[in-house]
Structure formats: structure tokens, C-alpha cells
Amino acid sequence: MNPTTLCGGAPARTGRGADIAEWHPEDEAFWEQTGKRIAYRNLWISVPALLCGFAVWGMWGIITVQMLNLGFPFSQAELFTLTAISGIAGATMRIPSSFFIRLAGGRNTIFLTTAMLLAPALGTGIVLQHPEWPLWSFQLMALWCGVGGGNFASSMSNISTFFPKRQQGTALGLNAGLGNFGVTTMQIVVPLVMTVPLLGALGGAPETLVKESGWIFGKIPAGTQTWIQNAGFAWVFSLVPLAALCWFGMNNLKTISPATGSPLVAFAKVTWLYTLAFIPALFGLWLYLPPPTGVGLISMWIAIPLDIVLALTIMRLAAFGPMKEAVVKQYAIFRDKHTWSLTALYIVTFGSFIGFSMALPLAMKVIFDVVHIPDANGVMQHTQHNPNALPILAYAWIGPFVGAAVRPIGGWISDKWGGSIVTQIISVVMVAASVAVGYVMKLAYSSATPEAYFPMFLGLFMVLFAASGVGNGSTFRTIGVIFDRERAGPVLGWTSAVAAYGAFVAPIVIGGQIKAGTPELAMYGFAVFYAACLLLNWWFYLRRNAYIKNP
């Protein structure tokens, strides 16, 4: 394929034009005459592809609630592991994904990773038709859905290369913010499509609710037929046309990806590295999860760094030929202290957003769907159904919606005021809101009428989601300013990879503390971490002699 050459603001097209040989977005004449149109075309195709990736990755947060409503033979703790497994898989997939654009090209990568989502979507639909299947079959599908989470790193890395630095905050905020709507879209669409035989006889038989459920318009009574398998099948209708749109509408920037090889070679690189990423995820989960799925030898806090180190090591050892040289070159980002400071800050923002998105539906179910009363011996019990229970699935989407909606605003404000000052403000807000919501959770979990605390609980979580959404935009803007074009993409991918472990941490921490009877401690712990990162941000970017002032 001959590249499209873009010089001096005038394009000269040859061949099919998917490859662009010259790209100068900092040149205002080039940007206005040629670059802007191409950049925004790639952005507007990237957004729905990323949205579907988030939807497939995050759908186990809703599926597990419905599994509980349908009486699947698994405990609450086992259901929390499904959201956690999807979370850690998505985070691990982001580590190789952060290097895909340089190795395989933007168009090649986004097309293939979007098409890849068809497999876990179909697989999830199949396994959900069989409640009698063992837990590991559901855990395998949750693991596979992690591919959707991995796609974020390559998507952000790709879009960052198209835009000038002065527009990084806005462009990345739009891509991530609108892409993050995948969580909200999923939380609205999945309960909706479960109510209808979407594929007719081809979609399989329905299950019957043993507990009342809900959707955006209210309650669904027990005894209603439900097609839970549609949670997976529904995404096929969008993934097929989106994959085609990525292939025919996106571009590879040869200034960023000079040695991608043919499309088949590029696909092989992506597939190889994604396949390798499953190895540390599976090994870490096997060591962490209790029997019979795993051996339960290590804690979550050991499993995560072990997973990261193994993923990086395997990538470096298994890469070969020109791919090995490219991977090694990308590892230079780990020698820069700003890579590590911004990784911590992005855990505060995106780690909180995706972690709460994953954990909140099931947490709301087990806190507000039952009454909390002591037995004859004075021991608090959490099993009796709450007759005034709210339709959880009617509310679960609101927080992620708020967080996604304000992310572009965070990028835009940061382009005006500077990213670090915005990050500092939202960190203060998140410390206060975390402490407050923890206290409300404590009150609700010891009350015979927990629904009385739900409005305050939901309102405080809206504050947390809004602050994390704004902070997502401000942190990514800071990365785009500090790092040059070649390194910004891998740093964006790396920080998003580590922050994505929030999708693993939050369900485990919140679920564990609920099981222990102290849900407030989870939120107090998050508040302590936010406070530490607030000081980190001040030291690096806001004090008088900061390393870089308010980037």
C-alpha cells in the first residue's frame, strides 16, 4: 500500500491512502488545511469503537446483579470475583496495548481490537444460557472480556498522535469521555435487552427472575422472563459495522509507526502480544483466587504488582525481530519520574471511575436490597429482603454517566487553566466525598431501613464520579504537555493500564469490607490514598520550585 503524503498543508494521495507518510499538527497551516479534518475523522470513528470496548469490559458488573436475581448457584463473594477478574484482565491487556500503535499502526490496531470483541461477546451470551455450568466457565468469559478494557490504551495512544499539543486535553477528553459512555450505555442497554427475545429462537430460552430486578424505567417483578444471554449477544449488532468503519475510515501515521509491515503482519503482532498478556493475568488470578478456581496463596496487593512485572517481562522476552527493538525503545518511559507521578495521579481519577463503575451495582444491591437487623443474640444479619428495596439497575448507570459526561470538560478547562491545578482541586473534593460516603455506607449497613440513606449515598457518589471525570481529562492533558509526541502515547497507555487495576481493586476491597461488616473502611482507605496523591501532585507540579509548573 502506498502512503498518503501530506506536506506543506496540501495532501498528495496515492494508493488507497490509509497510511500517512508526513504529519505536522503543530504547523498551523498544515493543521487548518489538512490535518484537522483527518484527525477529527479518526477521532469520531475511535469514539464508538472505544465505547463498545468499555461496554464489553464492564458488563459483568450488571450481569452479576442479574445472576443474583435469577438465582444462579453462586455466592455474593463468587459473583464479586467475576467483576474483579474482568477488571484485572482489562488492566493487564492495557500493558501491551499501550505499545500497539507504534508496532502495528493506528488503523490496523483499532480495527483488529474492535473485531476481537465479537468473541467474548458471543461467548458470554452462550455461557449465560447455562446456570448449571461451573463457576470457572463464567470466570473464563469475564477474563476474555478484558480485551475490551485493553483497547483503551491503544485508542488513547492513537488519538494523541493526531492532535497538536494545544488541543491534547480536548481531543483526549472527547475520546476518553465519550468512550467512557460505554459503561453508561452498557448499564442502560443490558437491562433493556434482557427484557426481550432479541434474536428470537436463535437467542435461546429465557430464565425466570426469582427476585425482582430493574431497568432504567423502574422495577421488574419476580416471575418475569429474562433473556440474560442478550447481555453478550447485543453487542454483535454494533461491533460488526464498527469494525468495518475502522478499516475503511481510519489511518496509520507512518511518522509514529514506521515499520508496521503489511496488515497481516500488524495483526499478528497485536494478536501475539495480547495472547501473551493472558499468561500473567491467569497466573496471578490462580495464585490469588481461593480454591477450587485457584490456590489462594497471595493477596490482591501482591497479585497486582506481580501481574504487571510478569506482563512487562514476558513482552520483552517474547518480542522478536523489529518488534523487539520497538518494545525496548518504548521502555525508556520507565526511566522518567513523571511517568510514575502521573501513573499515581491517574489511579486517583480513572482508577476510581472504572473501579466504582464495576463495584457499585452489586454493592448497592447487597447494601440497600436487604434489611440489616440483629438476631436474638445481637449479631447483625444481612439476609432478609428489604420490602422497600429500590430498583438498583435503574440507578447504577447515573454515576458513570456523570463521570463520562464531564471528562471532556476536564480536558477543556485544563487547556485553559493548566492540568495540575485542576487535578489538585478534584483531589480535595474526592478526599471529602470519600469520607462522607463511607460514613453513609456505615449508617445504611446497620439500619433496618437502608433505603432512607440511598439518596445521600447516590448524591455523594455523583460527586465522586464527577470529580474523577474532570480529573481524567486534566491528568491526560498534563501527560500530553510534559512528553513529546513519540513518548506521550506509550505514557498515556501505561498510566491507563495501571489505573485500570482499579476495576480489580474496587470490587475486591468494597466486597471484602461489606462481607466483614465494615463497608465504610473501603472508602476511608480510598480517601487516604487520594490525600497522599494530592501531596504528590503539589510537590511535582504546583509548589514554588516544582519540576514543571502546572502542566
Side-chain angles (χ1 to χ4, degrees):
M1 181 183 299
N2 294 325
T4 295
T5 302
L6 300 168
C7 303
R13 296 193 176 277
T14 59
R16 290 174 60 188
D19 292 349
I20 296 176
E22 297 290 337
W23 190 252
H24 308 289
E26 304 298 341
D27 181 332
E28 290 194 20
F30 166 82
W31 177 251
E32 291 299 328
Q33 294 178 35
T34 301
K36 185 176 182 179
R37 172 176 53 81
I38 294 173
Y40 274 99
R41 185 184 69 235
N42 279 268
L43 172 63
W44 296 129
I45 296 173
S46 174
V47 164
L50 181 57
L51 184 149
C52 283
F54 267 103
V56 171
W57 182 32
M59 64 185 178
W60 283 94
I62 295 295
I63 290 171
T64 51
V65 173
Q66 201 71 325
M67 290 171 71
L68 197 63
N69 292 332
L70 289 167
F72 276 58
F74 307 119
S75 68
Q76 291 178 5
E78 289 171 330
L79 292 175
F80 268 113
T81 68
L82 295 177
T83 56
I85 287 170
S86 178
I88 196 173
T92 308
M93 297 296 108
R94 287 188 180 194
I95 294 174
S97 182
S98 62
F99 303 108
F100 285 168
I101 302 306
R102 180 174 179 82
L103 295 174
R107 174 238 201 178
N108 297 335
T109 297
I110 306 305
F111 160 74
L112 181 62
T113 54
T114 300
M116 278 181 172
L117 296 174
L118 287 165
L122 290 169
T124 296
I126 292 170
V127 75
L128 287 172
Q129 296 179 69
H130 299 278
E132 75 281 3
W133 283 9
L135 178 63
W136 66 261
S137 62
F138 296 87
Q139 291 173 327
L140 180 62
M141 287 303 107
L143 182 80
W144 207 353
C145 286
V147 171
N151 291 358
F152 179 83
S154 55
S155 177
M156 295 298 282
S157 179
N158 182 48
I159 291 304
S160 73
T161 63
F162 279 92
F163 285 82
K165 282 185 178 291
R166 65 184 181 277
Q167 296 186 21
Q168 289 281 308
T170 302
L172 293 173
L174 285 169
N175 190 54
L178 297 178
N180 285 170
F181 272 117
V183 178
T184 299
T185 302
M186 172 273 299
Q187 290 178 334
I188 295 174
V189 168
V190 167
L192 173 64
V193 297
M194 288 180 184
T195 64
V196 294
L198 192 64
L199 299 176
L202 292 176
E207 302 284 337
T208 302
L209 288 171
V210 297
K211 298 179 181 179
E212 71 176 22
S213 182
W215 62 330
I216 189 173
F217 297 114
K219 294 182 179 181
I220 300 175
T224 303
Q225 288 189 326
T226 296
W227 288 263
I228 190 174
Q229 62 267 31
N230 289 347
F233 291 151
W235 302 109
V236 176
F237 295 100
S238 55
L239 289 171
V240 171
L242 273 175
L245 190 61
C246 291
W247 181 252
F248 292 107
M250 298 190 78
N251 299 100
N252 301 313
L253 297 182
K254 304 308 288 185
T255 52
I256 302 297
S257 316
T260 61
S262 70
L264 288 179
V265 171
F267 297 162
K269 294 177 185 177
V270 171
T271 304
W272 172 242
L273 291 176
Y274 252 167
T275 303
L276 291 176
F278 278 111
I279 297 173
L282 284 167
F283 183 64
L285 286 167
W286 178 72
L287 290 176
Y288 166 74
L289 291 172
T293 307
V295 293
L297 290 178
I298 61 176
S299 73
M300 171 184 66
W301 305 112
I302 297 175
I304 291 175
L306 177 65
D307 184 53
I308 293 171
V309 170
L310 285 176
L312 291 171
T313 303
I314 290 172
M315 275 185 60
R316 186 157 190 167
L317 294 177
F320 54 86
M323 183 167 58
K324 185 177 186 68
E325 181 182 348
V327 168
V328 171
K329 185 176 181 179
Q330 301 282 39
Y331 276 36
I333 64 172
F334 300 127
R335 295 195 292 270
D336 192 315
K337 60 180 175 290
H338 295 291
T339 299
W340 300 104
S341 62
L342 289 164
T343 297
L345 295 175
Y346 200 55
I347 292 172
V348 171
T349 58
F350 180 77
S352 299
F353 170 83
I354 196 62
F356 295 148
S357 297
M358 290 283 202
L360 208 52
L362 193 54
M364 289 162 68
K365 180 80 175 174
V366 299
I367 292 176
F368 296 100
D369 243 26
V370 298
V371 294
H372 312 285
I373 53 177
D375 61 15
N377 298 316
V379 178
M380 189 66 71
Q381 300 296 309
H382 311 282
T383 56
Q384 184 178 327
H385 175 68
N386 182 2
N388 300 314
L390 297 162
I392 296 304
L393 296 184
Y395 297 97
W397 62 274
I398 300 176
F401 174 85
V402 170
V406 301
R407 182 164 185 162
I409 298 172
W412 179 79
I413 293 174
S414 299
D415 282 340
K416 303 290 184 182
W417 295 355
S420 295
I421 189 65
V422 175
T423 302
Q424 192 76 351
I425 293 170
I426 65 95
S427 296
V428 172
V429 172
M430 293 182 71
V431 170
S434 295
V435 172
V437 80
Y439 182 68
V440 172
M441 290 169 74
K442 176 183 178 181
L443 296 176
Y445 206 61
S446 59
S447 173
T449 57
E451 70 278 2
Y453 298 97
F454 186 77
M456 190 179 300
F457 170 89
L458 187 63
L460 287 167
F461 258 108
M462 295 310 99
V463 173
L464 277 172
F465 273 107
S468 68
V470 171
N472 284 336
S474 65
T475 309
F476 263 23
R477 190 269 183 184
T478 298
I479 292 172
V481 171
I482 290 177
F483 294 95
D484 61 34
R485 189 166 303 279
E486 189 169 302
R487 297 171 68 197
V491 174
L492 288 169
W494 165 257
T495 55
S496 74
V498 178
Y501 283 96
F504 176 61
V505 171
I508 296 298
V509 171
I510 294 175
Q513 290 303 320
I514 289 175
K515 184 178 179 180
T518 54
E520 71 278 7
L521 295 185
M523 301 309 300
Y524 295 164
F526 295 145
V528 170
F529 174 69
Y530 299 154
C533 289
L534 186 153
L535 295 175
L536 177 73
N537 183 60
W538 172 81
W539 180 260
F540 268 72
Y541 306 117
L542 293 175
R543 63 187 172 93
R544 183 185 299 274
N545 297 316
Y547 297 117
I548 302 174
K549 192 69 174 179
N550 192 25

